[in-house]
Every structure is written in structure tokens, then in C-alpha cells.
Amino acid sequence: MAEDHLGFAGQINFSVLKLISTSGYAVDLQDYLVEVNIFEDIFQNFLYGNMMLSDSRNLISSLPIIGEEYLVIRFETPTLDSFIEKTFKIYSVTDKKTVRDNNTQIYTLHFCSHEAIVDTLTPLYKPFEGVISDVVQNIYKEFLEIPRTYIFNNDGQATESDETTPLYIINETDNRVKFISPGWSPSKCINWLATKSIPSEGKACDFLFWETTKAFYFSNIEKLISDTEDSDIIKGTYFYFPPNVLKPSDSVTKLFIAEEFDVVKTSDNLVNYVNGYLASRIITLDVLNKKYDVTDYDYVDEFSKFKHMSGTNASPLFASDTLRNAATHIKFYPVNTKLFTKFPDNVSEKVSQIYGNRLSKLNELNNFTINILVPGRTDLEAGSLIRFIYPDTEPKESATDNPQDKHYSGVYLITAIRHKINLKKHMMIIEMVKDSLENNS
């Protein structure tokens, strides 16, 4: 149960921070911890991170730490009924240095989700068939799903928990697939299936497979936006205050104040003219029947048909008459109609419906990116939507005016979070993007 009081923004409570050696011995690392970083990203299939330790007891040699241990973490933000609990696998030890009169060693442990190790060691040579979202669920259940964490008894002995990390299919797919995996890992199979998926709800084919500190997800981005819009669930409103402006002092309010704000990227039209964002062409080649088809996709004309973060009043990040030419980005793709007996409309026959749509939507997520540094909370994850308020820098007519910047304020999708944690404080570096502007005219 979470505490009912938040002493300060970013407060964190560790209940478990243990390293399990290859011999099964568990060591509490709280006396050794300098900092731990956990990274989650919607463009990455698995969690990964690193931990810096200050070791004055020669733990690295006496345990020993060889880079194949398990790391068990559980921590929470006071007042929130949400915690982060996960078992990671150590895969490397680097940056070892001796300090303090040769009595203390500092080194870094690199870790990733245990599922990432299982994935690496599981090449698949077998056929799959069915609705794509069902195939994804089956691959995960059969080849990736493993116990999420360990349980420790009074003697400190660790046993595997029955609890596993769930996979949530946020949007079912409308099309079916039949294919044989040529030795791909489970995640590579799922990533390939994501590129061939047509949603049952909505229009965007921007499916991704990723892990957060809570679960695995398979979804298209438009569905995340649509669900948030329909339920009006925004995971908090964050504010940025210029350095010379007085900030609120209570802990809960400070939890939503960005201490740093950095514009990572805005639209680059020279890139967008040629990367397929605005327009693209796919040429499908049917070698068996000796024919080809050309399909042009124009996202400028299609923009209004999709759900966007700015809602029904969304304006694109490009002009309505912007220059574009589908011939600047051409994809050649071989198709084989009726590849499998009694299985029409296999994924290769649907690629012309998917390619331009997916290309434009994923490129759109790389057009307007900002980073903010905020106090940590354990209920936020990559794939959530938040509102960000950035003050307008125009001269104010009165001291009470507090207008928002129309360009940088709005609803954003969190694409990545770096959890930066020590024993006293949890901070988050949030990477977030927007796909449109709010049209208030």
C-alpha cells in the first residue's frame, strides 16, 4: 500500500533492490547504489538500463559479479497505488574504477528484461497462421512469457513468482497472415507482423510492439490517441515555468512542473519531401503473373481522415498546399498472389494498402519532439498521453494574463522515458511528440 503523504516531488520508496548471483545467493544493493537508469521506448521491444554501484566490500569479486546475474527491482511513489516491479538480467559489467585510497570500486552493471535474453536465444523455424493480432498473442504466450519477478522468503532465498508480464493487444487487426518464420526471434516475428497489420478500429497502420515498466503492448498509435480522446484520460498536465517566474511550492503540484525543457526536433521539410511522409509510391511486382501495380499515397489529402492528438480541431504540421511528389520515395515489393492454397488475401497482397499509410504515420512521430525533465512517478509509461503547457512569450497586457504558447502547448504522446533513480529521488526524462497543432482560429 502506498504512503498517504508525498514529502517532496520525486520521492521514492525502494522495497526490493537485490542482485541474485549465478549460485542463487541474493544481495541487497541499497548500500551500494549510486544511480540506476531504466529506459522504456515505444520503438524498443524491451526495457533496458544500467546501474552504477560503489563497492567498498569487494562484492564484484566475492559474489562474484560476472554479468549473468538477475536484478530484482520494486519501488513506488508515495500516495500512488502503482509500483514498478521487474526482474532484469545483467549482461555486462563496465567502467570499473578504483577510488578512495584503493578501498572502493565503482562499476556499472548493464541489464535488460529477461524476455530480451529469452528472445535472443529462441530462433523460430515454424509456420504461423490466423488473424495477425491472434498470432502475435500466441507467439508471445508460447515463446516470450516468463515469470515477471522473484519472491524472497525470510531467509533471503529467491523463488520465481507465478506472475508474468502481460501483453495487451490494444487494437485487434483486421487481416490474416500465413507465413513460416525463417529462424527469426519471437520479437522479430512480431515486428514483421506489425508492418503488415491493418487495424480493426481506425485507419492508421502504425502498429508497434513495445515494453513498459507495466506490460508489453501491441497497438497502432492512432488507437492510443482514440482511446484517450474517447475516455478523456490524460495522464496529467505538466507545466513549464521560466527561471525568473515564481513556482508553486507544494509537493503534489511540483510533481507536474518541468524543471528543464528542450526542443529536440521540429519539422525538416527537406527531409519530409523525400522520406515518404508527405507522399510515397509503392510498386508491387507479381513475378508469377508478370505484372506490376503502382500505388501512390498522398498524406496531405489523407490527414483529416485520422485521429490526432490535437482532437477534432487538429491542424497538420505542414501547409495544405505543401510541395510533394510521390516519385521522390519509391518502394518495390514482390507479391505472390495465392501463395497458399485456400488462403486468399495474405499479407503480401495487402501491402499496397499498408505501406504509404504506415510510412507517413510513423514519420509523423519524428517531426515534433521535445524533452522535459520532471519528478518521477511510477504510474506513467511510454505510450501514455499527457498535456503540456508552455507559456506564451509575447508581452502581456496585464499581470494576470497567462496565455499558452499555441505551438508548444498541447497534448503529447510519450515515446520514451528514462527513469533516473537513486535512493532519495526519482526523476524522469520524458521524450514526447505531437502529430498536429490545435487550430483555435
Side-chain angles (χ1 to χ4, degrees), residues 229-245:
E229 182 181 86
D230 293 343
S231 61
D232 198 31
I233 298 176
I234 299 289
K235 290 280 190 159
T237 299
Y238 284 85
F239 299 83
Y240 177 76
F241 290 87
N244 58 341
V245 174

Side-chain angles (χ1 to χ4, degrees), residues 108 266 284 409 440:
T108 300
T266 56
T284 53
S409 297
N440 298 318

